[in-house]
Amino acid sequence: MTERSDVDLARLPYVDGVLTASQVAETAASIAAMQEPCGAIPWTTGEHVDIWNHVEAAMAMLVGGQVEAAERAYAWVPTLQRADGSWPMKIVGGEVEDGRGEVNMSAYFAVGLWHHWLVRRDAAFVQRFWPSVRAGLDWVVSQQLPFGGIRWTPTEEGALLAGSSSIYQSLRAGVALADLLDDPQPEWELTGGRLGHALREHRDQFLDKATYSMDWYYPVLGGAVRGDAGRALLATRWEDFVVPGLGIHCVDTNPWVTGAETCELVMALDAIGDHRRALQLLSDMQHLRGEDGKYWTGWVYGDDVYWPHEWTTYTAAAVILAVDALGEVAGHATAGSGIMRGTSLAPHFTELALECECPVTARAT
């Protein structure tokens, strides 16, 4: 059961001229309506669950007023964690369908727990889930490759650029939690220093997924590449991925714009202070809004059809988090607004370049 009738709209984020607090509440309720009785949040009703998108949906429900549903979602997360600290890649109906441990999914609980602290300031909640977060990040750092990227599963070669970029954010959230709880994790900081260097200077050593827009903007979204370097990186493929009036491509080979990727780019733009284009893209993608505040995954222009023909929780979640990010400059935001901007995370790690021949082997960022 959703809580929309009990939501205090004055606490919810909104962006003037794009989405009202009431519309944000409606979208958060649409996510909660697809939550399974155990607390898991599938991509869409009857589909699979992965921990990364599940946590993202919980974050969005929290700032959208669905507090009980969000906390049930977090309570479910440790139930699928394995003894080594990892989580399976794919869960369907409570059963593991793909048991491979995936690093990005296993790291992201740290971001969700830190976000909950920012919004709720519930120390007991943080204490309850800290052991799970700590075990997950310990496993993730064990998968670091010599060049600094994080191997995406123990059984596959190579590191994914988008996934490793997200892990950089997760490590900063993890260190923030460690500082809060006075439980230092120096190994995470060393891993973050090496990972940050790889994301800034050695992106060519990650697996080549350049057709995907995520590989383009995620080094900025995850926080490793910011400032002038972030602006320059986003300029490199803007024309390849951005479709004015519609959003951005998921892949550069298809005339298909997707809401989640568009909203993630919105948050990346917000992180480098490009609020004008961020607001425009958030407005542009609202053609994907459906009944009861749900969001279609994507739109194939030319054919002019929604595809796939489904509303997805991760798209709705990305919209809410983008609204919260931009609410600081164009409406109203919650205390969790800076989670993607990085202003509320632990400081950037001291950069380490141990395995390469870069002339600078350590610098603060």
Side-chain angles (χ1 to χ4, degrees):
M1 178 179 295
T2 64
E3 307 165 25
R4 188 182 166 201
S5 61
D6 300 325
V7 171
D8 181 358
L9 295 179
R11 295 179 176 272
L12 269 55
Y14 62 83
V15 171
D16 291 324
V18 181
L19 282 182
T20 66
S22 180
Q23 287 173 313
V24 168
E26 186 177 47
T27 296
S30 79
I31 299 173
M34 287 193 262
Q35 187 174 30
E36 296 173 356
C38 64
I41 305 167
W43 282 20
T44 193
T45 301
E47 252 287 359
H48 79 274
V49 182
D50 73 69
I51 299 300
W52 196 100
N53 284 291
H54 169 90
V55 168
E56 186 93 333
M59 292 163 62
M61 289 195 300
L62 188 67
V63 299
Q66 296 289 326
V67 177
E68 182 181 349
E71 294 187 346
R72 286 197 300 113
Y74 284 127
W76 174 81
V77 174
T79 68
L80 269 294
Q81 191 172 25
R82 279 90 68 98
D84 64 2
S86 70
W87 278 271
M89 190 175 293
K90 191 173 182 180
I91 302 107
V92 180
E95 299 295 326
V96 174
E97 185 170 289
D98 186 338
R100 289 177 297 169
E102 205 272 1
V103 289
N104 184 32
M105 296 178 189
S106 298
Y108 205 58
F109 195 16
V111 176
L113 188 59
W114 180 246
H115 181 259
H116 187 280
W117 165 253
L118 294 173
V119 175
R120 302 289 293 176
R121 297 289 167 167
D122 185 340
F125 193 89
V126 173
Q127 289 277 7
R128 176 183 174 188
F129 295 108
W130 171 240
S132 183
V133 165
R134 186 175 55 204
L137 284 178
D138 280 345
W139 179 77
V140 168
V141 302
S142 75
Q143 302 301 314
Q144 189 163 43
L145 296 169
F147 83 95
I150 311 294
R151 185 193 302 272
W152 73 283
T153 82
T155 56
E156 275 83 18
E157 294 295 325
L160 295 173
L161 179 57
S164 288
S165 297
S166 180
I167 290 168
Y168 184 83
Q169 180 197 22
S170 295
L171 287 169
R172 289 181 67 199
V175 170
L177 288 164
D179 289 344
L180 176 69
L181 297 172
D182 194 22
D183 187 7
Q185 302 295 324
E187 187 176 357
W188 300 356
E189 298 185 44
L190 293 173
T191 297
R194 295 178 61 209
L195 176 58
H197 179 76
L199 292 168
R200 296 179 192 107
E201 307 297 340
H202 300 295
R203 291 192 290 272
D204 59 322
Q205 294 195 43
F206 290 86
L207 296 172
D208 184 6
K209 302 288 182 181
T211 59
Y212 291 87
S213 59
M214 290 178 68
D215 262 33
W216 164 53
Y217 62 76
Y218 245 93
V220 178
L221 181 63
V225 182
R226 290 283 168 87
D228 289 343
R231 286 183 278 275
L233 177 57
L234 293 185
T236 60
R237 303 207 62 193
W238 187 270
E239 300 298 328
D240 296 332
F241 287 114
V242 177
V243 183
L246 293 178
I248 76 167
H249 292 137
C250 176
V251 292
D252 62 11
T253 54
N254 299 330
W256 179 44
V257 294
T258 49
E261 281 79 1
T262 301
C263 287
E264 288 182 333
L265 178 58
V266 166
M267 290 184 277
L269 289 165
D270 170 69
I272 59 171
D274 192 343
H275 300 123
R276 180 187 61 82
R277 292 197 296 184
L279 287 163
Q280 185 62 59
L281 281 170
L282 183 63
S283 178
D284 287 349
M285 64 79 58
Q286 295 305 317
H287 66 94
L288 294 172
R289 189 175 179 90
E291 62 185 51
D292 300 323
K294 294 180 284 192
Y295 280 82
W296 298 99
T297 302
W299 173 259
V300 182
Y301 57 93
D303 291 342
D304 293 342
V305 295
Y306 295 115
W307 188 85
H309 198 75
E310 63 187 19
W311 296 290
T312 40
T313 56
Y314 61 79
T315 304
V319 172
I320 292 174
L321 294 176
V323 167
D324 198 24
L326 288 178
E328 284 201 9
V329 295
H332 177 70
T334 74
S337 174
I339 193 69
M340 300 300 178
R341 201 177 309 115
T343 51
S344 58
L345 298 174
H348 287 286
F349 306 110
T350 299
E351 188 168 332
L352 299 175
L354 301 180
E355 304 292 336
C356 58
E357 297 180 359
C358 293
V360 177
T361 58
R363 66 183 175 92
T365 59

